[in-house]
Amino acid sequence: MAAHPGKEIIDMGVGEPDEMAFPEVVEKLCAEARKPENRGYADNGDMVLKEAAARYLERVCGVRGINPETEVIHSIGSKAALSILPAALINPGDCVLMTIPGYPVFGTHAKYYGGLVHNLPLTEENHFLPDLDSVPKDVLGKTKVLVLNYPNNPTGASATLEFFEKAVAFARRNNIVIIHDAAYAALVFEGKPLSFLAVPGAKEVGIELHSASKSFNMTGWRCGFVAGNERLVKAYGDLKDNTDSGQFLAIQHAAAHGLDHPEITEKIAAKYSRRMSALVQVLAQAGFNARKPKGSFFLYVNAPQAAVTGAGTKVEFANAEAVSQWLITEKLISSVPWDDAGAYLRFSVTFVAKNEADEARILGEIQQRVNDVKFLF
Ligand SMILES: Cc1ncc(COP(=O)(O)O)c(C=O)c1O
C-alpha cells in the first residue's frame, strides 16, 4: 500500500464471508439475549440447537434418525471441536491421517498428545480425494483417525457418495474413526449438500462437524455442532464440558433459527456461485486452468511457473508462494498460495463488494490488471 498509494488492494485471500448474518438471525439473537433464562453457563447446551440440528440433517442432507439427545452436541465452532477431539482419541504413538493441503487443527492438537500425522496429498488426478489405498501397512496399524473435509478448503472439491462409502468401509476394516469436517457443507452450487452421515454405516465409525460460520455468515458468533456416533459425541461432550462452558444460549438459539431456515444458505451459495462463474472466466482468460467447483467459496488453480509482463520482462516463480507474493506486490491482488501437493493458488469469492455492480467492477479490475501479463504454466 505504501508503494502504491491510493491504489485498491483486491483481497481474494479472505477465508470468511464478506457479509453479516441475515437480519432475522440478528433479531433472534437480540430477542434471546433479553431472556433471563439464557444468561448463564450453557455447558453442553439445551435441546434447542440439538433438535434444530437433527431437523437440519434430515431436511437439508437427507440424514434420518439422528437422536438429538444423544447424537448431537453444539460446538463453539468447528475449530474448537477439532481442537478438543484429539484428547479423546489420541495416545502417544497413535497416527492421524490428514489431507494436505488442508485445515490442520486436528493434526496439530494430535501432536500435542504425542500423536503422529500421516499426510495424504490431494491431487488433481485423484479429484482432490485422498488415496486411502496408499497408506502404508505400518502406518495403518497405528492409525486411529481419518480427518476429511468436503466441500474442501482449499481445493473447493466435493466428495462423492462412492468416496464416502469407500471411506466408511476403510474405517470399518481398519478400526479407524472418521471425523468429517463439513464446515462448507451447505454451500453447494448444484444439487443437495452431501453429508458423510448419509452413507450407510457412517454413524458406526464417525461424526460430522457442522458450522454456522460459513453457512449462515456467522464466523464471529462461534457456533456449530458435532453429530453422529453416540460414543464419539459423548466423548466430545465429556471433554467439552471440561474445556469450555458452552456457547451463549442466545447465540445457540439464533444459530438454531438459521438451521431451520436453510434458504438463507441457499441465498449465500447463489451469490458465491455467481461470483465463482465470473472469476473462473477472468482467470481462464488469463491462461489459468480454472474450473468452477461444485461448492465452497474457494477457487483453486495451478500456479504459473513464470509471467511475462507487457514490457517483455520474464519473472520465474519457484513456487506458488512466489506467485502470490508477485501478485500482491505487482498487481495488488491478494491470494493464498499452497505448495503442499503441487503449486496452487486459492482465490476466495468472499471479496468485499458493495453490490452486484461493484462485484462486476472488481472482477473487471482483476482482468485489467493481468491483461498485459502472459502466464506460463
Ligand atoms: C476446513 C475448515 N474447517 C473448520 C474451519 C473453522 O470453522 P469454524 O468457524 O466453525 O470454527 C474452517 C475455517 O476456515 C475451515 O476452513
Side-chain angles (χ1 to χ4, degrees):
M1 286 173 77
H4 304 267
K7 202 160 176 200
E8 179 187 19
I9 288 189
I10 302 180
D11 192 354
M12 309 294 280
V14 208
E16 61 177 313
D18 55 305
E19 278 190 81
M20 274 187 64
F22 277 37
E24 63 188 85
V25 177
V26 177
E27 287 306 320
K28 182 73 180 169
L29 170 68
C30 295
E32 293 293 317
R34 285 192 197 99
K35 294 182 182 168
E37 65 269 29
N38 288 342
R39 76 188 182 287
Y41 290 124
D43 297 325
N44 279 349
D46 60 11
M47 287 307 291
V48 175
L49 184 131
K50 287 168 172 249
E51 283 170 355
R55 280 194 296 274
Y56 175 86
L57 283 171
E58 173 154 3
R59 182 174 167 197
V60 176
C61 309
V63 178
R64 290 216 176 80
I66 292 290
N67 182 340
E69 279 193 48
T70 56
E71 294 174 340
V72 183
I73 294 181
H74 83 282
S75 66
I76 304 188
S78 297
K79 186 179 196 175
L82 289 165
S83 69
I84 286 174
L85 280 160
L89 296 163
I90 303 299
N91 292 319
D94 287 344
C95 196
V96 184
L97 305 178
M98 300 286 299
T99 54
I100 51 160
Y103 192 73
V105 174
F106 187 99
T108 305
H109 283 261
K111 286 186 204 161
Y112 296 160
Y113 295 101
L116 310 163
V117 171
H118 180 80
N119 289 321
L120 298 170
L122 300 182
T123 62
E124 227 159 315
E125 301 84 71
N126 284 329
H127 308 285
F128 303 111
L129 300 168
D131 179 4
L132 301 175
D133 300 327
S134 73
V135 183
K137 265 219 169 76
D138 60 320
V139 173
L140 212 45
K142 294 186 284 200
T143 297
K144 269 275 192 67
V145 180
L146 165 66
V147 180
L148 297 171
N149 160 232
Y150 291 97
N152 183 257
N153 175 13
T155 69
S158 290
T160 59
L161 195 62
E162 296 70 42
F163 172 73
F164 278 153
E165 281 169 354
K166 194 171 173 187
V168 168
F170 172 80
R172 272 184 160 160
R173 207 165 49 242
N174 298 294
N175 206 15
I176 288 171
V177 164
I178 294 183
I179 295 178
H180 181 232
D181 173 2
Y184 301 87
L187 293 174
V188 292
F189 305 150
E190 51 189 79
K192 282 218 151 210
L194 176 62
S195 166
F196 164 71
L197 296 174
V199 176
K203 222 163 71 172
E204 282 160 43
V205 298
I207 44 175
E208 187 161 77
L209 276 45
H210 285 260
S211 171
S213 290
K214 320 286 163 86
S215 306
F216 297 100
N217 292 346
M218 290 168 67
T219 40
W221 297 45
R222 314 307 306 135
C223 199
F225 66 86
V226 173
N229 183 277
E230 184 177 336
R231 287 181 67 202
L232 289 169
V233 169
K234 183 174 184 320
Y236 163 70
D238 287 349
L239 280 157
K240 185 186 169 314
D241 209 16
N242 286 285
T243 306
D244 60 55
S245 294
Q247 183 50 280
F248 182 25
L249 282 170
I251 289 182
Q252 287 192 46
H253 296 173
H257 177 92
L259 293 171
D260 279 332
H261 292 84
E263 69 278 6
I264 293 177
T265 314
E266 285 166 18
K267 284 184 192 148
I268 296 169
K271 179 180 106 174
Y272 295 153
S273 178
R274 179 184 70 228
R275 288 180 169 200
M276 193 64 87
S277 299
L279 180 63
V280 164
Q281 241 186 351
V282 167
L283 292 182
Q285 259 182 27
F288 288 83
N289 182 16
R291 270 167 300 185
K292 187 178 174 182
K294 293 198 174 79
S296 83
F297 45 65
F298 299 123
L299 182 61
Y300 190 69
V301 290
N302 53 341
Q305 290 176 347
V308 182
T309 64
T313 319
K314 187 175 179 186
V315 191
E316 309 251 9
F317 303 119
N319 49 29
E321 190 172 342
V323 183
S324 195
Q325 288 292 351
W326 183 84
L327 275 176
I328 184 76
T329 48
E330 297 300 321
K331 300 293 171 187
L332 282 88
I333 299 170
S334 164
S335 59
V336 178
W338 294 86
D339 284 300
D340 295 308
Y344 287 85
L345 296 173
R346 190 193 79 182
F347 292 85
S348 301
V349 291
T350 50
F351 55 89
V352 178
K354 287 186 224 77
N355 47 40
E356 269 188 62
D358 198 34
E359 204 175 287
R361 178 193 66 78
I362 290 167
L363 289 161
E365 180 70 26
I366 297 177
Q367 189 163 23
Q368 237 184 359
R369 289 187 195 185
V370 295
N371 209 11
D372 64 336
V373 183
K374 184 166 172 45
F375 290 106
L376 305 175
F377 292 86

